[in-house]
PDB file of all heavy atoms in Angstrom:
ATOM      1  N   ALA A  49       0.840  -1.181   0.000  1.00  0.00           N
ATOM      2  CA  ALA A  49       0.000   0.000   0.000  1.00  0.00           C
ATOM      3  C   ALA A  49       0.882   1.239   0.000  1.00  0.00           C
ATOM      4  O   ALA A  49       1.971   1.241   0.569  1.00  0.00           O
ATOM      5  CB  ALA A  49      -0.916   0.003   1.223  1.00  0.00           C
ATOM      6  N   ASP A  50       0.406   2.294  -0.634  1.00  0.00           N
ATOM      7  CA  ASP A  50       1.195   3.515  -0.714  1.00  0.00           C
ATOM      8  C   ASP A  50       1.588   4.037   0.665  1.00  0.00           C
ATOM      9  O   ASP A  50       2.679   4.588   0.846  1.00  0.00           O
ATOM     10  CB  ASP A  50       0.419   4.604  -1.468  1.00  0.00           C
ATOM     11  CG  ASP A  50       0.314   4.315  -2.952  1.00  0.00           C
ATOM     12  OD1 ASP A  50       1.089   3.487  -3.468  1.00  0.00           O
ATOM     13  OD2 ASP A  50      -0.555   4.930  -3.602  1.00  0.00           O
ATOM     14  N   SER A  51       0.721   3.852   1.630  1.00  0.00           N
ATOM     15  CA  SER A  51       0.962   4.393   2.956  1.00  0.00           C
ATOM     16  C   SER A  51       2.094   3.703   3.706  1.00  0.00           C
ATOM     17  O   SER A  51       2.596   4.243   4.693  1.00  0.00           O
ATOM     18  CB  SER A  51      -0.319   4.326   3.796  1.00  0.00           C
ATOM     19  OG  SER A  51      -0.734   2.983   3.975  1.00  0.00           O
ATOM     20  N   VAL A  52       2.508   2.522   3.255  1.00  0.00           N
ATOM     21  CA  VAL A  52       3.544   1.783   3.978  1.00  0.00           C
ATOM     22  C   VAL A  52       4.777   1.506   3.133  1.00  0.00           C
ATOM     23  O   VAL A  52       5.740   0.903   3.640  1.00  0.00           O
ATOM     24  CB  VAL A  52       3.002   0.448   4.539  1.00  0.00           C
ATOM     25  CG1 VAL A  52       1.757   0.690   5.385  1.00  0.00           C
ATOM     26  CG2 VAL A  52       2.707  -0.540   3.418  1.00  0.00           C
ATOM     27  N   LYS A  53       4.782   1.931   1.891  1.00  0.00           N
ATOM     28  CA  LYS A  53       5.945   1.697   1.042  1.00  0.00           C
ATOM     29  C   LYS A  53       7.194   2.295   1.673  1.00  0.00           C
ATOM     30  O   LYS A  53       7.175   3.394   2.210  1.00  0.00           O
ATOM     31  CB  LYS A  53       5.719   2.294  -0.347  1.00  0.00           C
ATOM     32  CG  LYS A  53       4.746   1.506  -1.201  1.00  0.00           C
ATOM     33  CD  LYS A  53       4.596   2.124  -2.580  1.00  0.00           C
ATOM     34  CE  LYS A  53       3.658   1.308  -3.453  1.00  0.00           C
ATOM     35  NZ  LYS A  53       3.474   1.930  -4.792  1.00  0.00           N
ATOM     36  N   ASP A  54       8.276   1.552   1.603  1.00  0.00           N
ATOM     37  CA  ASP A  54       9.583   1.940   2.134  1.00  0.00           C
ATOM     38  C   ASP A  54       9.651   1.868   3.652  1.00  0.00           C
ATOM     39  O   ASP A  54      10.693   2.178   4.235  1.00  0.00           O
ATOM     40  CB  ASP A  54       9.998   3.331   1.664  1.00  0.00           C
ATOM     41  CG  ASP A  54      10.049   3.451   0.157  1.00  0.00           C
ATOM     42  OD1 ASP A  54      10.529   2.498  -0.497  1.00  0.00           O
ATOM     43  OD2 ASP A  54       9.614   4.493  -0.373  1.00  0.00           O
ATOM     44  N   ARG A  55       8.562   1.461   4.295  1.00  0.00           N
ATOM     45  CA  ARG A  55       8.569   1.313   5.745  1.00  0.00           C
ATOM     46  C   ARG A  55       8.280  -0.120   6.171  1.00  0.00           C
ATOM     47  O   ARG A  55       8.754  -0.560   7.218  1.00  0.00           O
ATOM     48  CB  ARG A  55       7.553   2.245   6.402  1.00  0.00           C
ATOM     49  CG  ARG A  55       7.844   3.718   6.184  1.00  0.00           C
ATOM     50  CD  ARG A  55       7.019   4.591   7.124  1.00  0.00           C
ATOM     51  NE  ARG A  55       5.581   4.445   6.888  1.00  0.00           N
ATOM     52  CZ  ARG A  55       4.737   3.853   7.736  1.00  0.00           C
ATOM     53  NH1 ARG A  55       5.183   3.341   8.884  1.00  0.00           N
ATOM     54  NH2 ARG A  55       3.445   3.777   7.460  1.00  0.00           N
ATOM     55  N   PHE A  56       7.481  -0.820   5.402  1.00  0.00           N
ATOM     56  CA  PHE A  56       7.144  -2.203   5.704  1.00  0.00           C
ATOM     57  C   PHE A  56       7.816  -3.116   4.691  1.00  0.00           C
ATOM     58  O   PHE A  56       7.981  -2.753   3.519  1.00  0.00           O
ATOM     59  CB  PHE A  56       5.629  -2.438   5.626  1.00  0.00           C
ATOM     60  CG  PHE A  56       4.823  -1.802   6.722  1.00  0.00           C
ATOM     61  CD1 PHE A  56       5.353  -0.833   7.560  1.00  0.00           C
ATOM     62  CD2 PHE A  56       3.505  -2.193   6.912  1.00  0.00           C
ATOM     63  CE1 PHE A  56       4.594  -0.255   8.558  1.00  0.00           C
ATOM     64  CE2 PHE A  56       2.735  -1.624   7.909  1.00  0.00           C
ATOM     65  CZ  PHE A  56       3.277  -0.655   8.732  1.00  0.00           C
ATOM     66  N   THR A  57       8.179  -4.303   5.129  1.00  0.00           N
ATOM     67  CA  THR A  57       8.772  -5.291   4.241  1.00  0.00           C
ATOM     68  C   THR A  57       8.132  -6.647   4.492  1.00  0.00           C
ATOM     69  O   THR A  57       8.117  -7.123   5.626  1.00  0.00           O
ATOM     70  CB  THR A  57      10.290  -5.406   4.450  1.00  0.00           C
ATOM     71  OG1 THR A  57      10.907  -4.131   4.256  1.00  0.00           O
ATOM     72  CG2 THR A  57      10.886  -6.402   3.459  1.00  0.00           C
ATOM     73  N   ILE A  58       7.618  -7.243   3.432  1.00  0.00           N
ATOM     74  CA  ILE A  58       7.030  -8.565   3.537  1.00  0.00           C
ATOM     75  C   ILE A  58       8.007  -9.588   2.984  1.00  0.00           C
ATOM     76  O   ILE A  58       8.728  -9.322   2.019  1.00  0.00           O
ATOM     77  CB  ILE A  58       5.678  -8.645   2.801  1.00  0.00           C
ATOM     78  CG1 ILE A  58       4.992  -9.989   3.078  1.00  0.00           C
ATOM     79  CG2 ILE A  58       5.840  -8.411   1.304  1.00  0.00           C
ATOM     80  CD1 ILE A  58       3.554 -10.075   2.564  1.00  0.00           C
ATOM     81  N   SER A  59       8.038 -10.742   3.598  1.00  0.00           N
ATOM     82  CA  SER A  59       8.867 -11.833   3.116  1.00  0.00           C
ATOM     83  C   SER A  59       8.132 -13.143   3.302  1.00  0.00           C
ATOM     84  O   SER A  59       7.159 -13.230   4.056  1.00  0.00           O
ATOM     85  CB  SER A  59      10.221 -11.862   3.830  1.00  0.00           C
ATOM     86  OG  SER A  59      10.060 -12.038   5.231  1.00  0.00           O
ATOM     87  N   LEU A  60       8.607 -14.154   2.606  1.00  0.00           N
ATOM     88  CA  LEU A  60       7.953 -15.455   2.642  1.00  0.00           C
ATOM     89  C   LEU A  60       9.001 -16.548   2.637  1.00  0.00           C
ATOM     90  O   LEU A  60       9.878 -16.565   1.773  1.00  0.00           O
ATOM     91  CB  LEU A  60       7.016 -15.612   1.441  1.00  0.00           C
ATOM     92  CG  LEU A  60       6.373 -16.989   1.229  1.00  0.00           C
ATOM     93  CD1 LEU A  60       5.433 -17.314   2.385  1.00  0.00           C
ATOM     94  CD2 LEU A  60       5.633 -17.028  -0.093  1.00  0.00           C
ATOM     95  N   HIS A  61       8.901 -17.431   3.601  1.00  0.00           N
ATOM     96  CA  HIS A  61       9.716 -18.640   3.591  1.00  0.00           C
ATOM     97  C   HIS A  61       8.827 -19.740   3.031  1.00  0.00           C
ATOM     98  O   HIS A  61       7.999 -20.306   3.741  1.00  0.00           O
ATOM     99  CB  HIS A  61      10.196 -18.995   4.989  1.00  0.00           C
ATOM    100  CG  HIS A  61      11.286 -20.018   5.000  1.00  0.00           C
ATOM    101  ND1 HIS A  61      11.098 -21.319   4.590  1.00  0.00           N
ATOM    102  CD2 HIS A  61      12.593 -19.929   5.363  1.00  0.00           C
ATOM    103  CE1 HIS A  61      12.228 -21.984   4.704  1.00  0.00           C
ATOM    104  NE2 HIS A  61      13.150 -21.163   5.173  1.00  0.00           N
ATOM    105  N   THR A  62       9.000 -20.005   1.746  1.00  0.00           N
ATOM    106  CA  THR A  62       8.083 -20.880   1.038  1.00  0.00           C
ATOM    107  C   THR A  62       8.040 -22.282   1.631  1.00  0.00           C
ATOM    108  O   THR A  62       6.965 -22.850   1.844  1.00  0.00           O
ATOM    109  CB  THR A  62       8.455 -20.957  -0.446  1.00  0.00           C
ATOM    110  OG1 THR A  62       8.485 -19.633  -1.003  1.00  0.00           O
ATOM    111  CG2 THR A  62       7.446 -21.795  -1.209  1.00  0.00           C
ATOM    112  N   ALA A  63       9.201 -22.854   1.902  1.00  0.00           N
ATOM    113  CA  ALA A  63       9.241 -24.220   2.415  1.00  0.00           C
ATOM    114  C   ALA A  63       8.552 -24.334   3.763  1.00  0.00           C
ATOM    115  O   ALA A  63       7.936 -25.359   4.070  1.00  0.00           O
ATOM    116  CB  ALA A  63      10.684 -24.705   2.511  1.00  0.00           C
ATOM    117  N   ARG A  64       8.674 -23.304   4.581  1.00  0.00           N
ATOM    118  CA  ARG A  64       8.046 -23.311   5.896  1.00  0.00           C
ATOM    119  C   ARG A  64       6.614 -22.801   5.858  1.00  0.00           C
ATOM    120  O   ARG A  64       5.917 -22.875   6.880  1.00  0.00           O
ATOM    121  CB  ARG A  64       8.857 -22.465   6.873  1.00  0.00           C
ATOM    122  CG  ARG A  64      10.266 -22.974   7.109  1.00  0.00           C
ATOM    123  CD  ARG A  64      11.014 -22.055   8.046  1.00  0.00           C
ATOM    124  NE  ARG A  64      12.391 -22.493   8.246  1.00  0.00           N
ATOM    125  CZ  ARG A  64      13.285 -21.814   8.959  1.00  0.00           C
ATOM    126  NH1 ARG A  64      12.957 -20.670   9.537  1.00  0.00           N
ATOM    127  NH2 ARG A  64      14.522 -22.297   9.082  1.00  0.00           N
ATOM    128  N   ARG A  65       6.197 -22.299   4.701  1.00  0.00           N
ATOM    129  CA  ARG A  65       4.859 -21.747   4.544  1.00  0.00           C
ATOM    130  C   ARG A  65       4.584 -20.714   5.630  1.00  0.00           C
ATOM    131  O   ARG A  65       3.540 -20.724   6.289  1.00  0.00           O
ATOM    132  CB  ARG A  65       3.822 -22.862   4.549  1.00  0.00           C
ATOM    133  CG  ARG A  65       3.964 -23.804   3.357  1.00  0.00           C
ATOM    134  CD  ARG A  65       3.165 -25.073   3.528  1.00  0.00           C
ATOM    135  NE  ARG A  65       3.328 -25.957   2.380  1.00  0.00           N
ATOM    136  CZ  ARG A  65       3.134 -27.257   2.408  1.00  0.00           C
ATOM    137  NH1 ARG A  65       2.749 -27.851   3.531  1.00  0.00           N
ATOM    138  NH2 ARG A  65       3.302 -27.986   1.314  1.00  0.00           N
ATOM    139  N   THR A  66       5.544 -19.832   5.794  1.00  0.00           N
ATOM    140  CA  THR A  66       5.491 -18.806   6.818  1.00  0.00           C
ATOM    141  C   THR A  66       5.831 -17.459   6.210  1.00  0.00           C
ATOM    142  O   THR A  66       6.778 -17.350   5.420  1.00  0.00           O
ATOM    143  CB  THR A  66       6.487 -19.115   7.949  1.00  0.00           C
ATOM    144  OG1 THR A  66       6.169 -20.378   8.536  1.00  0.00           O
ATOM    145  CG2 THR A  66       6.451 -18.037   9.019  1.00  0.00           C
ATOM    146  N   SER A  67       5.070 -16.439   6.549  1.00  0.00           N
ATOM    147  CA  SER A  67       5.353 -15.098   6.073  1.00  0.00           C
ATOM    148  C   SER A  67       5.715 -14.191   7.240  1.00  0.00           C
ATOM    149  O   SER A  67       5.352 -14.449   8.392  1.00  0.00           O
ATOM    150  CB  SER A  67       4.165 -14.512   5.302  1.00  0.00           C
ATOM    151  OG  SER A  67       3.086 -14.208   6.172  1.00  0.00           O
ATOM    152  N   PHE A  68       6.415 -13.115   6.907  1.00  0.00           N
ATOM    153  CA  PHE A  68       6.837 -12.142   7.894  1.00  0.00           C
ATOM    154  C   PHE A  68       6.538 -10.757   7.366  1.00  0.00           C
ATOM    155  O   PHE A  68       6.601 -10.498   6.167  1.00  0.00           O
ATOM    156  CB  PHE A  68       8.335 -12.265   8.185  1.00  0.00           C
ATOM    157  CG  PHE A  68       8.745 -13.618   8.658  1.00  0.00           C
ATOM    158  CD1 PHE A  68       9.125 -14.600   7.757  1.00  0.00           C
ATOM    159  CD2 PHE A  68       8.741 -13.926  10.007  1.00  0.00           C
ATOM    160  CE1 PHE A  68       9.503 -15.861   8.188  1.00  0.00           C
ATOM    161  CE2 PHE A  68       9.115 -15.180  10.460  1.00  0.00           C
ATOM    162  CZ  PHE A  68       9.492 -16.143   9.545  1.00  0.00           C
ATOM    163  N   LEU A  69       6.228  -9.868   8.267  1.00  0.00           N
ATOM    164  CA  LEU A  69       6.033  -8.466   7.929  1.00  0.00           C
ATOM    165  C   LEU A  69       6.842  -7.627   8.894  1.00  0.00           C
ATOM    166  O   LEU A  69       6.544  -7.606  10.093  1.00  0.00           O
ATOM    167  CB  LEU A  69       4.559  -8.071   7.997  1.00  0.00           C
ATOM    168  CG  LEU A  69       4.248  -6.630   7.588  1.00  0.00           C
ATOM    169  CD1 LEU A  69       4.441  -6.448   6.084  1.00  0.00           C
ATOM    170  CD2 LEU A  69       2.836  -6.235   7.997  1.00  0.00           C
ATOM    171  N   GLN A  70       7.867  -6.964   8.383  1.00  0.00           N
ATOM    172  CA  GLN A  70       8.629  -6.046   9.204  1.00  0.00           C
ATOM    173  C   GLN A  70       7.954  -4.684   9.157  1.00  0.00           C
ATOM    174  O   GLN A  70       7.758  -4.121   8.081  1.00  0.00           O
ATOM    175  CB  GLN A  70      10.076  -5.933   8.729  1.00  0.00           C
ATOM    176  CG  GLN A  70      10.901  -4.990   9.588  1.00  0.00           C
ATOM    177  CD  GLN A  70      12.374  -5.054   9.285  1.00  0.00           C
ATOM    178  OE1 GLN A  70      12.890  -6.079   8.852  1.00  0.00           O
ATOM    179  NE2 GLN A  70      13.066  -3.956   9.516  1.00  0.00           N
ATOM    180  N   VAL A  71       7.611  -4.199  10.315  1.00  0.00           N
ATOM    181  CA  VAL A  71       6.892  -2.947  10.443  1.00  0.00           C
ATOM    182  C   VAL A  71       7.828  -1.913  11.044  1.00  0.00           C
ATOM    183  O   VAL A  71       8.230  -2.030  12.202  1.00  0.00           O
ATOM    184  CB  VAL A  71       5.648  -3.108  11.330  1.00  0.00           C
ATOM    185  CG1 VAL A  71       4.935  -1.772  11.508  1.00  0.00           C
ATOM    186  CG2 VAL A  71       4.709  -4.147  10.739  1.00  0.00           C
ATOM    187  N   ASN A  72       8.194  -0.924  10.260  1.00  0.00           N
ATOM    188  CA  ASN A  72       8.955   0.207  10.758  1.00  0.00           C
ATOM    189  C   ASN A  72       7.948   1.296  11.096  1.00  0.00           C
ATOM    190  O   ASN A  72       7.587   2.106  10.247  1.00  0.00           O
ATOM    191  CB  ASN A  72       9.970   0.690   9.722  1.00  0.00           C
ATOM    192  CG  ASN A  72      11.010  -0.353   9.382  1.00  0.00           C
ATOM    193  OD1 ASN A  72      11.300  -0.606   8.214  1.00  0.00           O
ATOM    194  ND2 ASN A  72      11.573  -0.978  10.415  1.00  0.00           N
ATOM    195  N   ALA A  73       7.495   1.289  12.310  1.00  0.00           N
ATOM    196  CA  ALA A  73       6.410   2.161  12.735  1.00  0.00           C
ATOM    197  C   ALA A  73       6.850   3.608  12.752  1.00  0.00           C
ATOM    198  O   ALA A  73       7.905   3.945  13.296  1.00  0.00           O
ATOM    199  CB  ALA A  73       5.907   1.747  14.110  1.00  0.00           C
ATOM    200  N   ARG A  74       6.028   4.461  12.195  1.00  0.00           N
ATOM    201  CA  ARG A  74       6.321   5.887  12.164  1.00  0.00           C
ATOM    202  C   ARG A  74       5.133   6.740  12.576  1.00  0.00           C
ATOM    203  O   ARG A  74       5.310   7.840  13.057  1.00  0.00           O
ATOM    204  CB  ARG A  74       6.753   6.309  10.753  1.00  0.00           C
ATOM    205  CG  ARG A  74       8.038   5.667  10.268  1.00  0.00           C
ATOM    206  CD  ARG A  74       9.234   6.186  11.037  1.00  0.00           C
ATOM    207  NE  ARG A  74      10.476   5.668  10.474  1.00  0.00           N
ATOM    208  CZ  ARG A  74      11.024   4.501  10.815  1.00  0.00           C
ATOM    209  NH1 ARG A  74      10.438   3.739  11.732  1.00  0.00           N
ATOM    210  NH2 ARG A  74      12.153   4.104  10.244  1.00  0.00           N
ATOM    211  N   LYS A  75       3.953   6.210  12.395  1.00  0.00           N
ATOM    212  CA  LYS A  75       2.751   7.005  12.591  1.00  0.00           C
ATOM    213  C   LYS A  75       1.731   6.242  13.414  1.00  0.00           C
ATOM    214  O   LYS A  75       1.726   5.017  13.446  1.00  0.00           O
ATOM    215  CB  LYS A  75       2.118   7.382  11.244  1.00  0.00           C
ATOM    216  CG  LYS A  75       3.046   8.057  10.264  1.00  0.00           C
ATOM    217  CD  LYS A  75       2.364   8.255   8.922  1.00  0.00           C
ATOM    218  CE  LYS A  75       3.291   8.898   7.924  1.00  0.00           C
ATOM    219  NZ  LYS A  75       2.623   9.073   6.608  1.00  0.00           N
TER     220      LYS A  75
END
């Protein structure tokens, strides 16, 4: 989303079927 670009990062470990969201909170 435009509101979180450059602040949040999503990743996926496919084999583990697990996702992560790094939240760099600013607001």
Side-chain angles (χ1 to χ4, degrees):
D50 289 342
S51 62
V52 306
K53 286 182 178 178
D54 302 319
R55 297 194 298 111
F56 290 14
T57 303
I58 187 171
S59 60
L60 173 65
H61 194 294
T62 304
R64 298 178 182 176
R65 295 167 180 157
T66 300
S67 71
F68 302 90
L69 183 70
Q70 181 170 332
V71 177
N72 297 133
R74 297 291 186 273
K75 307 174 181 179

